[in-house]
Amino acid sequence: MTDPIAVRNQVLERIGERADAQVVATIGPSELTRFANSFIHQNVGEIRSSVVLTVISDGRVAELVGSSTSDAGLARLVEQGLELVRISPIDADWPGLASPAPLGEMPGRVETEPTPQHRADAVKSFLGAGPDLNGAGFCSTERLESAFGNTKGLMADGVATRTVFDGILRTDTSSGSAHHCSSDFQSLDADALGRLAYERAILGADPITIETGTYEVVLGHDAMAEVVMELGLYGFGGRSVVDQESFVEPGASQFDRAITIVDDALAPGGVNYAFDVEGTPKERLVLVDAGVSGGPCHSRRTGRRMGVRSNGYAPSGDLGEWYGGGPMDIMVAPGTKTVDELIGEVERGMYVATFNYCRCLEPLTVEVTGLTRNGTFLIENGEIVRGLTNMRFTQSFVEAVAPGNVLGLSNDPRFGHADAGPAYVRAPAARLARFNFTGNADG
């Protein structure tokens, strides 16, 4: 069975009157082309299918995940769910099933059917921008249909399409990367990505090591996306608020006036669904308005604990367990300058393309430590003068975008690849007055 609506309906019919339940069935093609040493070495495709079933009975809750969508597989999943809920502990925080509610309308999407040849052509274009360098990376495409339903009568379904390209070009002493994510394959410009990665790799050749300390920085789109993603999860996530581990004070001016952040699954260019994993329609939510905090994001479970309703931010999988509710379709309002203009205003500082292996040390300040990679440069007198070896930073991300520390934003926001994934944050590049680097190649 390949129709998620039919799968959803069959699961609910099999549950019948024996328990309350909700189910999310997601099915669709997912394909991937990988390359290394400037050659394609892997091309794979599959029909992904997952069925997430939550069964509720007598205050007990059990959740199961299956991949089979055959009649026998669905029957087995339902019977296992009914058996598991019987022996599960009482869940005192269970918020109950969502009631039927109208969904917002997703913007029109350009749907294409990328073939292996299309992805191979994209890889060829990327590598063609730097034929003398060593290239690696991947191009993935997917089109997933998802159908939600519960025994209270709430039904929702939708389609999510996504194209992701991540590539890196290397010299003997440096590397440069580029990232793309969009809802349609046609917007992928692999040649432009290749030229960006090539430029970063060449500029970064024979890097030097500089002393640690506090520097003015220009963060590239991917690095800025990491900053915003960490703020979103640790500050605006419902569980952080419930557990009083969030820095967010709604109505307070906690950010620079240049910072406005919204979460809007229905905005043009979005790559996710109009409903969350609890079936609740996603609402447009202002997280920061010209520096003033808003939010937070709630699932049904965290909303119940705060005495408010869910606004459609129950994330799936591990993110749901950790954060209880968090922004997944984040957009940072752009500034007015180009990235080159931001760099041109720096007397002495750094340009950082991407961060790597970021870990939050202190949730209340969102103090994060991590590494720079694939493009770290010294800026002097408004120009990139040479590459730097990777640096370790330890920085409060709240302070990074605090009042007075944001000196400019670029006018070209795009999806940035944060540690949490490639499709959560659309951010511009940012010029920040101070950023703390606590380690270098010497230790």
Side-chain angles (χ1 to χ4, degrees):
M1 195 180 303
T2 58
D3 180 359
I5 295 176
V7 170
R8 173 197 68 190
N9 293 344
Q10 183 175 139
V11 170
L12 293 177
E13 288 171 5
R14 288 183 179 277
I15 289 286
E17 301 293 330
R18 294 185 288 174
D20 289 329
Q22 68 180 29
V23 59
V24 184
T26 304
I27 302 173
S30 178
E31 298 171 308
L32 172 71
T33 299
R34 289 186 185 275
F35 58 104
N37 293 322
S38 299
F39 288 95
I40 293 174
H41 65 92
Q42 183 182 47
N43 182 63
V44 295
E46 62 174 340
I47 299 298
R48 288 179 53 187
S49 61
S50 70
V51 184
V52 182
L53 173 63
T54 305
V55 184
I56 309 99
S57 179
D58 297 328
R60 306 173 192 276
V61 180
E63 182 175 293
L64 300 87
V65 180
S67 59
S68 173
T69 58
S70 66
D71 290 348
L74 296 179
R76 185 166 55 250
L77 182 72
V78 167
E79 296 309 316
Q80 289 175 338
L82 291 168
E83 176 60 20
L84 183 59
V85 76
R86 188 182 64 79
I87 59 175
S88 295
I90 297 290
D91 185 346
D93 288 331
W94 173 246
L97 295 172
S99 300
L103 280 181
E105 186 170 344
M106 295 296 293
R109 289 174 173 167
V110 179
E111 289 204 28
T112 55
E113 296 182 0
T115 65
Q117 186 62 55
H118 288 132
R119 291 189 296 278
D121 289 343
V123 171
K124 181 179 180 181
S125 294
F126 178 83
L127 294 173
D132 51 335
L133 303 190
N134 185 291
F138 70 89
C139 179
S140 67
T141 55
E142 64 182 18
R143 182 187 187 280
L144 301 179
E145 297 184 60
S146 187
F148 173 93
N150 68 26
T151 51
K152 206 170 180 177
L154 172 58
M155 304 292 168
D157 61 83
V159 177
T161 58
R162 182 182 302 180
T163 294
V164 177
F165 193 108
D166 268 307
I168 184 171
L169 293 173
R170 296 189 182 95
T171 72
D172 291 339
T173 60
S174 63
S175 58
S177 64
H179 168 71
H180 169 90
C181 175
S182 67
S183 60
D184 69 282
F185 185 84
Q186 290 182 347
S187 67
L188 170 61
D189 186 345
D191 177 65
L193 295 178
R195 285 186 273 110
L196 175 61
Y198 181 80
E199 179 184 21
R200 288 173 170 173
I202 295 302
L203 286 173
D206 300 319
I208 63 171
T209 297
I210 62 171
E211 65 276 14
T212 60
T214 300
Y215 288 85
E216 184 175 334
V217 294
V218 175
L219 300 184
H221 300 76
D222 296 293
M224 187 59 180
E226 183 66 44
V227 171
V228 177
M229 189 76 230
E230 300 280 355
L231 292 172
L233 291 176
Y234 287 100
F236 294 95
R239 182 171 176 177
S240 297
V241 175
V242 168
D243 293 342
Q244 298 183 332
E245 293 182 342
S246 168
F247 69 88
V248 172
E249 301 174 23
S253 297
Q254 296 183 283
F255 300 90
D256 192 278
R257 286 185 56 81
I259 299 296
T260 292
I261 306 172
V262 301
D263 193 286
D264 189 359
L266 305 183
V271 295
N272 293 312
Y273 304 106
F275 54 93
D276 68 8
V277 295
E278 296 173 333
T280 306
K282 293 181 179 177
E283 298 178 6
R284 183 180 188 274
L285 185 63
V286 177
L287 303 178
V288 182
D289 184 7
V292 179
S293 295
C297 306
H298 279 300
S299 64
R300 290 181 58 74
R301 190 176 288 269
T302 63
R304 178 178 182 273
R305 292 180 65 182
M306 292 293 291
V308 300
R309 64 180 178 81
S310 168
N311 41 23
Y313 286 88
S316 60
D318 290 342
L319 290 178
E321 178 68 21
W322 293 339
Y323 301 107
M328 295 289 113
D329 301 279
I330 308 169
M331 297 188 297
V332 182
T336 59
K337 299 179 180 178
T338 66
V339 176
D340 286 342
E341 287 173 338
L342 294 178
I343 292 173
E345 295 171 343
V346 178
E347 183 175 344
R348 189 172 192 272
M350 290 188 210
Y351 174 81
V352 179
T354 62
F355 290 145
N356 182 40
Y357 205 68
C358 295
R359 294 295 179 269
C360 184
L361 304 175
E362 171 50 68
L364 278 174
T365 59
V366 194
E367 185 176 60
V368 174
T369 189
L371 300 170
T372 68
R373 72 168 180 176
N374 298 335
T376 307
F377 304 97
L378 179 64
I379 303 171
E380 288 183 339
N381 301 317
E383 295 183 353
I384 289 178
V385 293
R386 68 178 308 161
L388 300 174
T389 55
N390 291 329
M391 304 279 288
R392 171 165 293 281
F393 68 87
T394 304
Q395 169 68 48
S396 162
F397 282 177
V398 178
E399 293 179 359
V401 290
N405 206 50
V406 180
L407 303 179
L409 299 172
S410 72
N411 57 8
D412 56 345
R414 63 165 176 77
F415 277 107
H417 197 159
D419 265 6
Y424 293 127
V425 182
R426 279 178 273 183
R431 178 187 167 210
L432 307 179
R434 297 172 299 278
F435 206 86
N436 298 317
F437 293 91
T438 53
N440 57 26
D442 294 330

